[in-house]
Amino acid sequence: MGSRGSTLSKIPNVDKLMQETGFSQAHIIRLHDRFRALDNDEKGYLCPQDFEAIKELAMNPIGDRIIGAFFAQGPQQETVDFNSFVKVLAHFRPTDKNRPKESTSPDPINSRTNKLKFAFQLYDQDKDGKISRDELLQVLRAMLEMQVTEEQLESITDRTIQESDTDRDNAISFEEFRKSLDKVNIEHKMSIRFLR
Amino acid sequence: MESSFGCWRRGLVLMPFATCLFLLCAVVPVCDAAAGEEDIWGVSNSSSQNTEGQEQNNSGLPIVTFRWNHVQTPFLVSVWIIVGCLAKMVFELNHRVTNIFPESGLLILIGFVLGGIVWGADKKATFALQPTTFFYYLLPQIILDAGYCMPNKLFFSNMGAILVYAVIGTCWNAGAVGISLWGCYEGGAMGHLEIGFLQFLLFGSLLSAVDPVAVIAVFEEVHVNEVLFILVFGESLLNDGVTVVLYNVCDAFVSLGAAKINAAEIIKGIISFFVVAFGGALVGVIFAIILCLLTRCTKNIQIIEAGFIFVISYLSYLTAEMLSLSAIMAITFCGVCSQKYINVNMDERSVNTVRYAMKVFANGSETMIFVFLGISAIDPAIWVWNTGFILLTLLFVFVYRIMGVFFLTWFLNKTRLVPVETIEQVIMSYGGLRGGVAYALATVLDPVKIKEKNLMLCTTFLVIYFTVVLQGVTMKPLVKWLKVKRSAQSELKLIEKLNNRTFEHTLCAVEDICGRIGDNWWIRGWNRFEQKWICRYLMKPSARKSQDYLFGVFHQLNLEDAVNYVSEGERRGSLAFMRSEDAASVDFKKKFGTDMSDIMPDIMVNTDFNGLDVSMSSVTRESVPSVSLEIHENDTKNLRNNNDVNVHHLLQQHLYKSRKHHRHKYSRSHFSINQSEDEVQEIFQRTMRSRLESFKSAKMGVAPAKKISKHPQKDRQQKMSNGKSLDKSKAHPYGDEDFEFSDGNSASGGEAATHAFLYTTAGIVNRAFMPEMDTPPTMRTPPWLSQAETDGSVAPSQRAQRSLPWSPSNIRRLAPLRISNRSTDSFIMADCFPPTASSSGVA
């Protein structure tokens, strides 16, 4: 217990962090260990290179976008400290109905909307609040790899946009994005079991 | 004559039996039917045979004879099947009944009625479901269907929970029911029975299985959410295997006798339990691999490849049975593991065949099982009443199921990402329906070893009726009342699938960042392994290339669009617009080409495509040449002096049949629209030739346009027929010498004719259509107009004459009046459908 206490005490604002993210002490400690393991030079923060060192992540077709998401939380962020690291990961905490909702934060980080926002920003790289055709095409190209021809990719993209584009501006806004995923169980699909 | 009459008379003597039989539908089931039959008809049959023989000796050759014995068993089986299916049909006529009452329950009730009739007629339970019939002929296809149509991803992602329910839950049910009954018996609740502790356990184990047949039958109508469904369904599927194993172990213990059972035997029993269950699964996987490998190379015997699925799966069942492993597990896993690969390996039509055939078999035997569960009960011999035993069994079965589910779910929910809610647990425990397996196992009981077999059988019946009928009926209201999450039936959406994939990648990445091995890590690892190794060996190379899931979804959506497109066209009264619309989207100039084709009626006549062929034809059309010079020369030579009849004859010879004309050729091994290879080859050659030709003339700047008006009518006739004879599939109406033999020209002609109502014979022989180039200053009189002036009565061909009675000169005038006219439609449609939409529909 002593070590646990000491680890926790090293983290600034632990209580606030736990309250915001809903993580338990055990989770925070575990994540802190991981954070320090990623932080090669013991800088106390992570930079993109630290993420890129993760081998599997480099192979992930949208890995760079996910790394980008860690740095996109604040304005012009170049580094990630532990707090924002945990906050990003908190998006993937399963939503649970059993735990009483804190009245102070009506919309926890792992709410449906926030999960959707996280997914949305993976597409929306220029942060104009819209997924343009090009942005979608890029994602598709990365994920479908070499199995499909460019023409097919483009028609898939067009079709995808058509499906959700209600205002016919050839782009998907967040509202349209959310509406088109109405039937999808985001709470389950954007959650990881061990973060529970 | 006399003898034949005698035979008839004898037939008539037998007829009452037979007719009574048909009317009552009191016919033997499957299998041991014959044995039962012998008793009823043994006398009459043998006597009639004797007399028959005598009479035959007396009066020589009989013209017809009545030979019931020859066909008895298969005949009765068929009649029963029809009866079962008719019963199903009858109450499906009224949906109000099936809305309240589940089908399975109704079938059982019908079974009661039929059984009652049989009993009334024979005073004897003639027909009963035999366990061999059940296990070898009725059960396999149901399980196979369940495995083959299993939503794999859902199944494997909930595999842990399903296994826990199926193995631990079933053992718990068996043990708890058996021990509690024994306890009550010892406590004196049932009076005196000759049942020992082991027999109670055996009884408990045969009652422990939740029956997949009953569960599917009830839950399919209820539409609960998919996770709940897969939990109940997967459990019922796997625990059948478990139950049979448990049953066998207990049966072995009973045979062994309580005295000889020691720790070693019990341990052996436990080991055997796992070996049998997982060994069965392994057999299934091995056969699935064999099946996949087989379907890789069935390309040339497409017509029977569907048969492989059934036979190999059935073999897996029998093999497992032979090795005394769990056959149910084997066939389940055979279906589950092979479905993905065989579906891509096989031709699409074979896949559909398999799907439908499987549903037919499964649904049919399900019906039979329920009907016979009713019929078999009408036999006073098995009804041994023991209030204490029966009621306690019902109570324990019900209560322990609930306890088991709640305890196991509580345990599972600790780690599940999506916890099973309390309401769902209620439904799960309420869905513990017993069915055919329990009954069949109860019938297998050896009356020598188990003195109270009939009591057990009758209790099993009651448990089945209680669960299937009572719980089945109340299930739907309960689901509604508890507001269980229903399955959301959403339409297929590309964006959802795309996002699912994004989520998968995201979750994997986050797991990597967290540095922990989670579910997604395993899923990704498996996917990679599958991509790299399994697909390589089990999938056709061609199937492997085009298997991206997202693209598959895209393709499917497009297919749907195409179907909607067709139905939309039919709603508007004609599919004709499809042709031109379709052509327009594939190739701009083709649109005008097809438009023209009703101005040139002779070509239209034999080019009636049906809707499905449209897309194919539009593809092939491009490669169809408008003319081939060689043929053309021959034609001109031959035809110059011929009359219409000869023209027609020639047409018949040279014209390619459009695809719609199936050659009426019977073939057992091919079921396809036949397109001979010669034909393809020739089309190819002609295409190349014409391309070369048009290329040449374009290069030389020669515009070999001729003035139509100069041609004598007959000559023109020939030319036109030339064009037609060369034109395989109708696309190029203006395969006429006068108009150039290139697409470009026909297109230009079409445009001019339809828009300007004036025909131009531009001499541009470029295949690539250039609109600005084909409106030359000189406008010529359309051919038909010039022709009409000379001789309006001569139609281009006999065929054309037959089907298009109007003379060419008034086509234009009539065109707008014809409802299903292609050109008018096409122009309307061309406006309605923007080219982008249609192109996306075709792409």
Side-chain angles (χ1 to χ4, degrees):
Chain A
M1 282 315 278
S3 70
R4 169 166 292 191
S6 65
T7 318
L8 276 181
S9 62
K10 268 187 242 163
I11 308 164
N13 299 328
V14 184
D15 293 332
K16 187 164 170 274
L17 190 64
M18 274 168 58
Q19 202 194 1
E20 271 179 40
T21 58
F23 280 129
S24 67
Q25 281 192 2
H27 277 129
I28 298 277
I29 290 165
R30 209 180 255 280
L31 289 176
H32 194 250
D33 288 346
R34 179 64 184 168
F35 182 81
R36 279 191 307 188
L38 288 176
D39 179 15
N40 280 327
D41 320 323
E42 311 224 336
K43 305 181 285 286
Y45 57 84
L46 297 178
C47 50
Q49 288 76 27
D50 292 324
F51 284 104
E52 281 154 21
I54 304 171
K55 200 173 85 214
E56 288 289 340
L57 201 57
M59 286 165 65
N60 197 316
I62 54 169
D64 52 341
R65 286 161 189 270
I66 289 156
I67 297 173
F70 278 88
F71 296 92
Q73 298 304 309
Q76 299 304 316
Q77 226 178 332
E78 292 297 320
T79 57
V80 178
D81 61 3
F82 181 66
N83 277 14
S84 38
F85 179 76
V86 172
K87 273 181 196 162
V88 172
L89 291 179
H91 283 104
F92 299 95
R93 199 170 66 82
T95 42
D96 43 7
K97 287 152 193 153
N98 304 339
R99 245 177 252 193
K101 230 179 189 176
E102 290 100 45
S103 52
T104 47
S105 56
D107 200 20
I109 295 180
N110 61 352
S111 71
R112 182 187 170 92
T113 314
N114 281 331
K115 281 176 196 282
L116 271 174
K117 268 183 188 149
F118 189 88
F120 186 79
Q121 64 169 1
L122 291 179
Y123 295 98
D124 183 23
Q125 290 291 288
D126 61 5
K127 301 194 177 46
D128 63 348
K130 274 178 183 172
I131 304 174
S132 69
R133 184 175 181 277
D134 275 341
E135 284 166 343
L136 193 59
L137 194 60
Q138 278 170 22
V139 178
L140 271 166
R141 196 179 288 137
M143 290 201 305
L144 292 186
E145 289 158 3
M146 302 305 290
Q147 288 155 330
V148 185
T149 64
E150 190 65 29
E151 286 88 38
Q152 286 169 333
L153 264 185
E154 282 184 21
S155 41
I156 293 178
T157 315
D158 285 336
R159 167 113 209 183
T160 312
I161 290 182
Q162 259 178 35
E163 266 177 3
S164 43
D165 185 18
T166 44
D167 59 1
R168 305 260 161 254
D169 62 347
N170 211 21
I172 304 175
S173 67
F174 181 68
E175 263 318 297
E176 288 166 347
F177 186 73
R178 183 159 69 179
K179 219 169 257 165
S180 62
L181 294 180
D182 239 2
K183 298 240 175 73
V184 181
N185 199 338
I186 305 291
E187 289 92 334
H188 296 162
K189 288 197 168 142
M190 283 285 275
S191 301
I192 291 177
R193 199 156 58 125
F194 61 70
L195 290 179
R196 197 171 158 199
Chain B
M1 231 26 237
E2 245 183 40
S3 71
S4 73
F5 181 69
C7 290
W8 268 112
R9 230 179 33 202
R10 242 172 295 119
L12 286 175
V13 175
L14 272 179
M15 271 321 246
F17 281 97
T19 40
C20 138
L21 188 97
F22 300 151
L23 285 175
L24 300 177
C25 311
V27 204
V28 193
V30 225
C31 234
D32 288 44
E37 280 302 297
E38 286 305 315
D39 300 336
I40 324 167
W41 287 326
V43 184
S44 65
N45 282 342
S46 57
S47 64
S48 73
Q49 261 175 346
N50 290 339
T51 50
E52 198 174 313
Q54 283 164 13
E55 272 189 42
Q56 270 179 14
N57 288 341
N58 292 342
S59 50
L61 184 76
I63 293 178
V64 283
T65 51
F66 185 81
R67 300 190 295 175
W68 168 250
N69 282 340
H70 284 254
V71 294
Q72 188 183 4
T73 312
F75 198 99
L76 292 174
V77 171
S78 316
V79 170
W80 268 122
I81 292 173
I82 288 190
V83 170
C85 297
L86 282 181
K88 191 161 177 155
M89 192 186 80
V90 166
F91 55 69
E92 280 298 324
L93 287 178
N94 193 347
H95 278 291
R96 226 174 299 158
V97 180
T98 42
N99 271 346
I100 304 164
F101 222 79
E103 226 182 71
S104 42
L106 278 176
L107 284 169
I108 289 180
L109 292 186
I110 282 179
F112 286 155
V113 175
L114 291 177
I117 294 172
V118 174
W119 180 258
D122 289 351
K123 298 285 176 242
K124 185 174 180 308
T126 316
F127 311 106
L129 185 58
Q130 303 298 325
T132 17
T133 313
F134 177 79
F135 279 119
Y136 290 128
Y137 305 111
L138 290 176
L139 191 61
Q141 56 262 46
I142 297 178
I143 308 283
L144 177 63
D145 176 61
Y148 181 75
C149 300
M150 177 77 75
N152 259 355
K153 203 177 165 192
L154 208 56
F155 179 67
F156 283 112
S157 56
N158 289 297
M159 190 73 180
I162 291 171
L163 275 179
V164 167
Y165 286 125
V167 177
I168 302 177
T170 308
C171 292
W172 155 256
N173 276 348
V177 170
I179 293 170
S180 310
L181 280 176
W182 177 73
C184 292
Y185 171 69
E186 292 291 304
M190 314 170 191
H192 178 72
L193 289 171
E194 285 191 44
I195 306 182
F197 174 67
L198 285 172
Q199 274 95 333
F200 273 116
L201 269 188
L202 182 62
F203 182 62
S205 72
L206 76 85
L207 272 185
S208 63
V210 175
D211 187 55
V213 186
V215 165
I216 303 168
V218 169
F219 274 75
E220 251 180 8
E221 293 173 28
V222 179
H223 302 296
V224 292
N225 67 67
E226 48 190 10
V227 175
L228 179 56
F229 179 75
I230 203 76
L231 286 179
V232 179
F233 178 50
E235 180 205 348
S236 68
L237 208 54
L238 296 189
N239 77 3
D240 267 359
V242 174
T243 307
V244 177
V245 178
L246 261 186
Y247 175 86
N248 286 338
V249 171
C250 289
D251 197 37
F253 282 161
V254 170
S255 316
L256 218 58
K260 286 186 190 161
I261 295 174
N262 49 26
E265 295 296 332
I266 291 172
I267 290 170
K268 259 157 76 183
I270 293 169
I271 293 172
S272 135
F273 174 84
F274 285 101
V275 170
V276 169
F278 291 99
L282 187 69
V283 168
V285 173
I286 290 169
F287 271 87
I289 292 171
I290 294 173
L291 187 54
C292 296
L293 290 175
L294 254 180
T295 49
R296 263 189 74 159
C297 29
T298 49
K299 197 182 155 213
N300 295 326
I301 45 164
Q302 258 174 28
I303 213 78
I304 58 167
E305 72 185 349
F308 279 124
I309 316 297
F310 294 98
V311 178
I312 300 274
S313 316
Y314 193 50
L315 269 182
S316 78
Y317 187 86
L318 295 179
T319 310
E321 191 69 42
M322 180 179 78
L323 300 172
S324 77
L325 301 174
S326 169
I328 296 171
M329 293 287 257
I331 201 164
T332 307
F333 275 86
C334 185
V336 167
C337 297
S338 63
Q339 51 159 281
K340 180 178 171 188
Y341 310 105
I342 55 182
N343 281 354
V344 295
N345 279 347
M346 285 195 306
D347 188 78
E348 207 176 314
R349 281 171 296 178
S350 303
V351 174
N352 281 337
T353 312
V354 170
R355 280 200 185 127
Y356 275 93
M358 222 171 250
K359 289 287 173 214
V360 171
F361 286 139
N363 219 319
S365 38
E366 187 189 295
T367 311
M368 298 310 293
I369 288 173
F370 282 123
V371 169
F372 274 99
L373 277 180
I375 291 175
S376 309
I378 309 297
D379 181 4
I382 60 165
W383 289 98
V384 181
W385 194 262
N386 182 324
T387 318
F389 185 79
I390 290 171
L391 287 184
L392 282 172
T393 310
L394 280 176
L395 178 75
F396 287 142
V397 163
F398 189 69
V399 168
Y400 287 128
R401 165 81 188 171
I402 295 175
M403 283 170 63
V405 166
F406 272 81
F407 174 73
L408 290 175
T409 320
W410 169 80
F411 174 72
L412 285 169
N413 269 351
K414 288 189 157 186
T415 51
R416 273 181 75 86
L417 174 62
V418 190
V420 182
E421 288 164 28
T422 321
I423 294 171
E424 291 173 338
Q425 294 174 40
V426 172
I427 296 298
M428 270 192 77
S429 29
Y430 204 68
L433 311 177
R434 269 63 168 182
V437 173
Y439 163 76
L441 290 177
T443 2
V444 179
L445 288 175
D446 185 0
V448 180
K449 280 184 281 184
I450 293 143
K451 300 286 189 295
E452 306 282 355
K453 176 186 170 180
N454 280 341
L455 176 62
M456 288 187 178
L457 192 56
C458 117
T459 313
T460 312
F461 266 126
L462 284 176
V463 170
I464 293 172
Y465 299 147
F466 178 78
T467 54
V468 172
V469 180
L470 277 183
Q471 295 189 9
V473 170
T474 44
M475 179 66 85
K476 220 174 201 173
L478 190 70
V479 167
K480 268 185 200 150
W481 181 62
L482 290 176
K483 296 193 183 69
V484 178
K485 248 191 277 169
R486 302 293 191 95
S487 62
Q489 283 161 336
S490 61
E491 52 193 311
L492 191 64
K493 264 182 164 177
L494 206 52
I495 191 162
E496 287 178 4
K497 302 294 169 193
L498 170 68
N499 274 302
N500 283 348
R501 177 153 319 179
T502 319
F503 296 155
E504 279 165 25
H505 285 306
T506 314
L507 294 187
C508 280
V510 172
E511 283 191 359
D512 291 332
I513 290 170
C514 293
R516 290 193 45 185
I517 293 173
D519 308 331
N520 298 289
W521 188 89
W522 287 105
I523 293 170
R524 181 177 60 184
W526 163 254
N527 284 342
R528 279 192 193 153
F529 174 73
E530 194 197 20
Q531 282 292 333
K532 202 172 172 191
W533 298 106
I534 301 181
C535 289
R536 178 191 290 180
Y537 293 112
L538 297 188
M539 268 192 197
K540 268 195 219 165
S542 57
R544 214 162 48 220
K545 270 178 208 153
S546 57
Q547 59 152 333
D548 190 89
Y549 177 66
L550 272 181
F551 187 69
V553 172
F554 177 63
H555 179 69
Q556 204 179 328
L557 282 169
N558 280 336
L559 277 183
E560 268 170 33
D561 280 359
V563 171
N564 290 339
Y565 205 50
V566 170
S567 48
E568 171 72 9
E570 275 173 348
R571 199 176 59 75
R572 284 163 189 258
S574 165
L575 266 182
F577 80 94
M578 283 295 291
R579 260 169 278 166
S580 45
E581 184 63 22
D582 191 33
S585 57
V586 171
D587 186 345
F588 180 56
K589 58 200 173 202
K590 292 296 190 307
K591 186 175 119 190
F592 298 102
T594 46
D595 286 343
M596 288 313 290
S597 57
D598 61 10
I599 303 168
M600 300 300 286
D602 52 339
I603 285 142
M604 271 294 289
V605 180
N606 35 32
T607 57
D608 225 356
F609 286 79
N610 58 30
L612 283 177
D613 277 347
V614 168
S615 57
M616 286 166 75
S617 62
S618 69
V619 175
T620 47
R621 208 182 292 154
E622 283 191 298
S623 64
V624 175
S626 47
V627 80
S628 136
L629 283 194
E630 188 192 315
I631 302 282
H632 165 64
E633 273 164 25
N634 290 341
D635 288 346
T636 41
K637 235 182 282 166
N638 293 338
L639 288 176
R640 202 153 293 268
N641 303 315
N642 281 350
N643 57 14
D644 282 356
V645 179
N646 286 353
V647 171
H648 181 67
H649 179 68
L650 195 88
L651 283 180
Q652 288 280 304
Q653 278 188 323
H654 285 268
L655 198 66
Y656 286 122
K657 301 280 182 292
S658 74
R659 277 158 178 275
K660 191 194 169 190
H661 298 278
H662 291 243
R663 257 166 242 161
H664 295 290
K665 179 177 85 178
Y666 175 77
S667 166
R668 207 186 288 277
S669 56
H670 292 287
F671 184 71
S672 56
I673 300 164
N674 34 40
Q675 187 185 24
S676 75
E677 288 189 14
D678 298 349
E679 203 171 82
V680 177
Q681 189 62 30
E682 194 168 343
I683 292 168
F684 174 73
Q685 284 174 0
R686 287 176 182 193
T687 317
M688 294 316 289
R689 221 177 281 139
S690 80
R691 280 190 182 164
L692 196 69
E693 188 60 31
S694 57
F695 174 70
K696 250 191 242 163
S697 50
K699 201 175 167 190
M700 287 155 65
V702 177
K706 289 161 195 166
K707 283 174 191 165
I708 303 113
S709 51
K710 279 183 186 170
H711 287 278
Q713 173 259 324
K714 206 190 253 173
D715 191 30
R716 189 197 151 267
Q717 188 67 54
Q718 294 164 2
K719 303 292 163 55
M720 200 191 269
S721 55
N722 283 349
K724 189 168 60 166
S725 69
L726 302 164
D727 190 337
K728 185 226 161 199
S729 66
K730 79 100 192 260
H732 310 287
Y734 279 70
D736 203 284
E737 191 189 351
D738 304 318
F739 299 125
E740 235 1 281
F741 303 112
S742 76
D743 296 323
N745 205 351
S746 65
S748 71
E751 191 179 60
T754 46
H755 294 311
F757 184 38
L758 279 172
Y759 209 79
T760 63
T761 54
I764 298 137
V765 199
N766 199 342
R767 256 188 99 77
F769 173 59
M770 295 160 145
E772 66 271 19
M773 282 176 74
D774 68 357
T775 48
T778 52
M779 299 292 190
R780 287 174 203 282
T781 325
W784 54 86
L785 286 183
S786 63
Q787 189 210 351
E789 282 157 21
T790 51
D791 184 5
S793 66
V794 177
S797 77
Q798 282 181 343
R799 266 201 212 193
Q801 236 169 2
R802 215 188 314 131
S803 68
L804 299 167
W806 20 274
S807 72
S809 59
N810 58 9
I811 294 169
R812 273 296 120 195
R813 254 185 295 129
L814 286 175
L817 299 174
R818 279 179 288 140
I819 295 161
S820 65
N821 181 288
R822 188 195 284 192
S823 68
T824 49
D825 269 358
S826 66
F827 275 94
I828 295 163
M829 293 313 296
D831 293 335
C832 294
F833 286 82
T836 48
S838 59
S839 68
S840 72
V842 171

